[in-house]
Amino acid sequence: MINLGFLSPSRIFTVLEQIDRAAPSYSLPREQGVRRVTIVMATVGICLLLIHYMKYSSTLLATLQMASSWLGEKPDYIRAKLQATGFINLISYSWWTFWHIIGYLIIPAIIIRYALKEKLVDFGWRWNETHHHWRGYALLITPILFFIFLVSFRDDFLNHYPFYKLAGRSWFDFLAWEALYLIQFITLEFFFRGFFVQALRPTMGANAIWVMCIPYLMIHFPKLWPEAFGALLFGLFLGILALRSRSIWGGFLVHAGIAISMDVASLIRQNALPSVWWPF
């Protein structure tokens, strides 16, 4: 059975204290710690700004217009070519995923290698002890899957998911979209539960989890309110589990299970599951 005592406030404080007492919490002297916090928080701010303003389809459109002008063509030349493929919306989400890769993965990886002078693989990329904490991950995902079932009867849920509205057009559309979506979740988990908390732990201990939770909550503000409301506690528990397991993979699997379940539930309710492999 899953131990629900994990949700007890006293249990949470006990776990946070255990993280604080274990290495590498508070392992850096003050001067190095201040420098590290400055580097990490500046990186987090820059990455979040970059992703927020670059990920939108409007930015892609402006980029395509500039590229068309450089080619000596009309501003909508490249966009028209992409529109003719029938995959312009999927291309737009590819742009969305691309900027998550840049902001959540590439830039932090450069900082880890050249500013922190540490190995990227040590920031959660190994499986490590993930399987030892399967009960915690199961405790997170089980009530959410039940909640997805309940809200899947609501029109606002059906109108919101999947984000890619042509996911039910063909299996190619569905699988391509889910691949882009899941890649984004891998980079997100690395950024918040790998880079963010692991980099701050040597100078802030378990408090790194709380610092991470605030921007993690804020990136959920554009979503439906139940998802945004749950992001704070979700971020807390995933942060704890990431530090205890020393891995991002449990958190990714939870996110993947939730994301795919929401999309599939919405398509089933709309009787819109794909029936063909290729849309044309």
Side-chain angles (χ1 to χ4, degrees):
M1 291 201 42
I2 297 174
N3 182 11
L4 295 179
F6 180 76
L7 292 176
S8 165
S10 60
R11 173 59 176 161
I12 292 173
F13 284 124
T14 299
V15 172
L16 292 173
E17 289 166 1
Q18 290 173 349
I19 292 172
D20 264 354
R21 289 194 296 267
S25 297
Y26 303 109
S27 58
L28 289 180
R30 183 177 179 277
E31 289 186 0
Q32 292 183 26
V34 170
R35 187 178 300 112
R36 191 181 186 94
V37 169
T38 300
I39 292 172
V40 172
M41 296 309 295
T43 302
V44 168
I46 290 170
C47 290
L48 291 176
L49 277 170
L50 180 69
I51 293 170
H52 180 75
Y53 288 104
M54 293 300 296
K55 67 182 180 180
Y56 295 109
S57 57
S58 58
T59 310
L60 171 61
L61 178 59
T63 303
L64 295 178
Q65 289 175 341
M66 287 190 294
S68 296
S69 298
W70 292 337
L71 294 174
E73 301 289 348
K74 295 180 179 180
D76 64 342
Y77 173 75
I78 296 179
R79 183 183 182 281
K81 293 289 187 182
L82 296 178
Q83 186 78 48
T85 68
F87 290 110
I88 185 65
N89 291 334
L90 194 60
I91 292 170
S92 178
Y93 277 109
S94 298
W95 172 268
W96 177 77
T97 299
F98 169 77
W99 284 106
H100 282 88
I101 293 172
I102 296 296
Y104 282 163
L105 176 59
I106 302 300
I107 295 176
I110 292 172
I111 294 299
I112 290 170
R113 176 65 178 86
Y114 296 103
L116 303 184
K117 301 186 184 306
E118 297 184 24
K119 295 179 179 179
L120 180 65
V121 72
D122 292 331
F123 284 73
W125 287 106
R126 294 188 176 96
W127 181 259
N128 286 325
E129 300 175 3
T130 301
H131 55 288
H132 293 158
H133 300 278
W134 70 268
R135 291 179 178 85
Y137 291 113
L139 178 61
L140 282 180
I141 194 171
T142 301
I144 296 175
L145 292 178
F146 179 70
F147 182 72
I148 290 171
F149 170 76
L150 293 179
V151 299
S152 67
F153 292 92
R154 295 172 55 93
D155 289 340
D156 55 353
F157 178 86
L158 300 181
N159 292 332
H160 198 72
Y161 298 104
F163 295 153
Y164 176 48
K165 299 308 177 186
L166 296 178
R169 182 174 62 171
S170 70
W171 282 111
F172 175 83
D173 285 283
F174 177 81
L175 294 175
W177 157 243
E178 295 301 336
L180 292 172
Y181 202 16
L182 295 186
I183 289 171
Q184 178 265 160
F185 277 123
I186 293 175
T187 63
L188 179 144
E189 277 302 310
F190 166 68
F191 184 76
F192 285 101
R193 258 72 68 175
F195 170 67
F196 205 151
V197 294
Q198 299 288 357
L200 290 182
R201 184 180 180 182
T203 188
M204 301 182 69
N207 288 321
I209 299 172
W210 290 112
V211 175
M212 173 273 296
C213 282
I214 303 305
Y216 183 67
L217 164 66
M218 295 175 72
I219 67 170
H220 288 78
F221 283 164
K223 300 186 178 182
L224 297 177
W225 73 264
E227 188 173 351
F229 181 78
L232 189 59
L233 287 177
F234 197 65
L236 169 64
F237 292 134
L238 283 181
I240 290 173
L241 289 166
L243 288 187
R244 298 192 76 189
S245 66
R246 297 178 294 116
S247 175
I248 66 170
W249 292 112
F252 164 70
L253 291 175
V254 169
H255 264 122
I258 293 170
I260 295 175
S261 296
M262 288 192 297
D263 286 355
V264 171
S266 178
L267 292 173
I268 290 175
R269 293 296 182 196
Q270 298 176 71
N271 194 27
L273 280 174
S275 59
V276 296
W277 165 248
W278 188 251
F280 309 116

